[in-house]
Amino acid sequence: MTSVQGTVRQFAPATREGSVLLDDGSDVPFGPAAFAAGGLRLLRPGQRVRLERDDSGEITLVTIVTFTSLG
């Protein structure tokens, strides 16, 4: 499993599907199962998120990137 970060490009609340623009410019779609796995309620275009991919490259988790304590 690999983890990458990107920015929400689009999100459809009715279907809970969307896509993320990765830092390398790739547009990666995600489905409702990946959205639900992150425990999220809503995403907005422009939000920074972390994605987890399985070995086949499918997105399995979408979650919000949070800052960690430096101390």
Side-chain angles (χ1 to χ4, degrees):
M1 196 170 298
T2 61
S3 179
V4 294
Q5 291 186 15
T7 304
V8 176
R9 183 175 157 275
Q10 64 180 358
F11 178 69
T15 61
R16 299 169 57 177
E17 297 174 304
S19 68
V20 172
L21 191 61
L22 300 182
D23 293 340
D24 69 2
S26 303
D27 186 12
V28 179
F30 64 86
F35 177 78
L40 302 173
R41 295 176 60 183
L42 183 66
L43 287 172
R44 294 183 326 266
Q47 272 186 302
R48 192 77 175 157
V49 293
R50 182 175 59 88
L51 307 173
E52 288 189 8
R53 294 180 177 180
D54 63 16
D55 293 335
S56 70
E58 183 177 341
I59 303 300
T60 58
L61 175 84
V62 180
T63 190
I64 303 292
V65 173
T66 58
F67 292 103
T68 59
S69 172
L70 298 176

